[in-house]
Amino acid sequence: MADSDAPARPQVSTRDLAEVHDRLVDWLATRLPDGADPQVSELSIPSTNGMSSETLLFDAAWTEEGETRTERCVVRMRPALDAKPVFPTYDLDKQYRVMSLVGERCGIPVPKLLWNEPGEDALGAPFFVMRRADGSAPPDVMPYTIDSWLLKADPADRARLQEASVAIIAAIHEIEHTAEDIAFLQFDQPGDTALRRHLNDLKAYYDWGMEGHPVPLLDRAFTWLEDNFPADAGPDVISWGDARIGNILYVDFTPTAVLDWEMAAVGPRELDLAWLVFIHDFFQDIASRYGGLPGIPDLLRREDVYARYAELTGHTPRNTNYFEVYSAVRHGVVMARIAHRQKHFGEREMPENLDETVLHRALIEAMLDGTFWDSLPVGSTSATSAASEAPEGSEDAGA
C-alpha cells in the first residue's frame, strides 16, 4: 500500500474552545449553589483516541458550604453540525442513560456522572459532564500495536489486562433487565429481531455516510451479510457497542473506567465479542502492513477471548465468523465516512477507487473469500470454527 494510505489523525472539532470555556463557566454557575463562583481551567482535547463525539477535558473548582471543591472533569458533546460528523445522530441523553443503568446494575467501573444537559442553549449542543478517571487507554494514534506502554509490557501483564477486559464485557451482558429497561437502546428500524434491526441501522448509516458514492467492497460485504444471516443469533443482551481496549482506562493493567457508549444497543453477545477481537486484528494489520512490525500477536486471540467468555458466562459464542465479518464491515463504514470527513477538511483527496477509503480492505476481502481464518496462526481457528459450527437451534447454558 502507498504511504499516503497510512493512518493519520483527522480533525475532530471546529469549535472555538475559548468561547466554549466561557459558556461552560456560565452554565456551571447555574448548576451549583449560589455564590459557588466556579472556575474552569483551559479546555483540552485528548490526543490519542476518539474520532466521533467531541471530548473536552478540564478542571473545575468552586465554593460550596464555605469550602473549596475541585473536580477533574470530562465533557462529552455532540459534534458541531458544520464539522461533517462521523455519525448522523448523537443521542447524548441515551449515552448518559445507558452509563447510569450499567453503573447501577453491575460492578464495572463506569465514570461518575456529574451533570446532564440535553438542551442546546448552553454550549450549542447537548452534552454531559463526568468525573475524569485515572488511568491510560491503549492508544489508537499511533496504534498501540506500533508503540505503546502495552506493547512494551510483560506478557503476563498483558494477559491480566485481557482477562479483565473480557470480564467487563461478560458483566455487561449478564445485567438483568426487562424489555422496558432497554427499550431506549432498541434501533428504530424494521426487523423482527434485534440483529436484523441492527443490520438495517448499519445499512442506513452506510447510505447516509457515503453521500451517494458507495464503496464497491462494502456493497459486496453487505450482500455477504445478507446471504449468511444467522437463522438463530442467540439471546439478546445490552451491547456496549464499542467494546475494545482503547475504550478502557487501566492502572497497573486493571480497568479503572469503561468509556464511549455512543454505539450501545440491544443485540447478540457476539456483537461485542467479535468487535473486541476484530479491532485488535485491525491494529495488528496496521502494524504489519504499514510498519512491518510484529505488533502483539499473543493479545486478544479469538480462541482465548471466546473461551474465557464461555468460562465466565456459560455461553459458548456462536456464529463467530459471521460477527467478525459484521465487525469488519461496520468498521469499514466508519473508516469510509471518516475519509469523507477528511476530504471536507482538506486533509485528503478521495481516491478514484473508493475501496481505498477502507484501511482494512485486505482483511475484508480475505473474509469474503473465506481465506482470512485459514491464514491465522496455528490454534487461532479452532475455537472460532467450533463456535461457528454449533447447531443453530442449540441452547446456551448462560442464555
Side-chain angles (χ1 to χ4, degrees):
M1 292 186 179
D3 290 342
S4 60
D5 287 342
R9 181 172 180 82
Q11 183 169 335
V12 296
S13 179
T14 59
R15 288 190 167 94
D16 181 338
L17 293 188
E19 178 186 353
V20 174
H21 173 277
D22 293 344
R23 294 175 69 173
L24 184 61
V25 173
D26 292 341
W27 172 83
L28 192 55
T30 69
R31 290 301 186 103
L32 296 171
D34 290 342
D37 188 25
Q39 306 295 315
V40 172
S41 68
E42 182 178 359
L43 304 181
S44 63
I45 299 174
S47 60
T48 56
N49 292 43
M51 292 182 288
S52 50
S53 292
E54 290 193 25
T55 301
L56 304 175
L57 310 178
F58 69 94
D59 295 336
W62 66 91
T63 301
E64 187 171 335
E65 297 181 351
E67 297 184 357
T68 299
R69 283 197 55 185
T70 61
E71 287 281 4
R72 299 169 64 241
C73 299
V74 179
V75 172
R76 291 276 286 178
M77 63 190 306
R78 188 191 69 197
L81 298 180
D82 63 354
K84 209 173 188 71
V86 174
F87 296 113
T89 59
Y90 289 82
D91 191 340
L92 274 295
D93 189 60
K94 183 189 84 169
Q95 292 182 47
Y96 191 90
R97 291 175 66 186
V98 71
M99 290 177 69
S100 298
L101 175 65
V102 171
E104 290 169 1
R105 301 198 183 183
C106 77
I108 70 168
V110 177
K112 170 68 175 177
L113 296 168
L114 300 174
W115 300 285
N116 185 30
E117 180 52 71
E120 300 191 6
D121 291 345
L123 299 185
F127 65 94
F128 63 87
V129 182
M130 54 189 173
R131 181 177 296 158
R132 187 175 178 182
D134 293 327
S136 300
D140 295 348
V141 184
M142 290 295 292
Y144 64 83
T145 51
I146 292 178
D147 183 23
S148 70
W149 54 269
L150 188 58
L151 178 69
K152 300 168 185 174
D154 185 274
D157 288 328
R158 288 201 296 262
R160 287 199 295 121
L161 179 144
Q162 174 178 295
E163 295 251 322
S165 303
V166 175
I168 280 173
I169 295 174
I172 295 169
H173 293 175
E174 295 296 284
I175 292 174
E176 294 185 5
H177 60 267
T178 66
E180 184 178 71
D181 289 336
I182 61 173
F184 73 100
L185 291 172
Q186 294 278 9
F187 285 120
D188 185 18
Q189 295 286 347
D192 56 357
T193 67
L195 180 59
R196 169 55 64 188
R197 291 188 290 273
H198 206 285
L199 178 55
N200 284 340
D201 188 77
L202 180 59
K203 289 178 179 178
Y205 170 45
Y206 173 62
D207 291 341
W208 170 85
M210 299 307 98
E211 300 179 348
H213 301 283
V215 176
L217 175 61
L218 295 180
D219 285 345
R220 287 172 45 213
F222 275 112
T223 298
W224 189 98
L225 290 175
E226 284 293 351
D227 291 345
N228 293 275
F229 194 84
D232 179 5
D236 291 330
V237 296
I238 295 173
S239 172
W240 174 8
D242 201 0
R244 58 191 184 91
I245 59 174
N247 282 336
I248 303 175
L249 300 183
Y250 302 89
V251 171
D252 189 26
F253 305 94
T254 299
T256 57
V258 181
L259 311 175
D260 287 1
W261 293 83
E262 65 194 359
M263 295 166 67
V266 175
R269 297 165 182 256
E270 289 76 11
L271 284 171
D272 284 339
L273 291 171
W275 187 258
L276 178 70
V277 166
F278 170 74
I279 293 298
H280 180 66
D281 286 344
F282 170 72
F283 286 126
Q284 277 289 105
D285 185 60
I286 290 177
S288 173
R289 192 175 302 274
Y290 297 104
L293 301 171
I296 315 178
D298 62 341
L299 183 69
L300 296 172
R301 295 183 301 182
R302 52 200 20 85
E303 73 270 25
D304 296 334
V305 169
Y306 298 147
R308 180 57 179 158
Y309 183 87
E311 291 174 0
L312 291 170
T313 66
H315 173 101
T316 299
R318 60 170 75 180
N319 303 307
T320 54
N321 286 9
Y322 181 88
F323 284 100
E324 288 177 27
V325 177
Y326 192 98
S327 297
V329 175
R330 196 179 183 197
H331 194 52
V333 177
V334 173
M335 290 290 97
R337 176 59 184 175
I338 288 172
H340 282 270
R341 197 170 193 248
Q342 289 176 305
K343 179 179 182 297
H344 173 76
F345 285 115
E347 297 170 342
R348 70 173 295 170
E349 295 293 328
M350 293 299 282
E352 183 175 341
N353 177 7
L354 293 179
D355 285 357
E356 294 177 14
T357 62
V358 180
L359 196 59
H360 56 287
R361 55 192 175 274
L363 298 187
I364 296 179
E365 289 167 351
M367 287 177 167
L368 297 184
D369 66 25
T371 61
F372 173 78
W373 295 275
D374 294 339
S375 67
L376 295 172
V378 174
S380 293
T381 58
S382 57
T384 303
S385 299
S388 300
E389 294 170 2
E392 293 288 357
S394 64
E395 293 296 326
D396 298 285

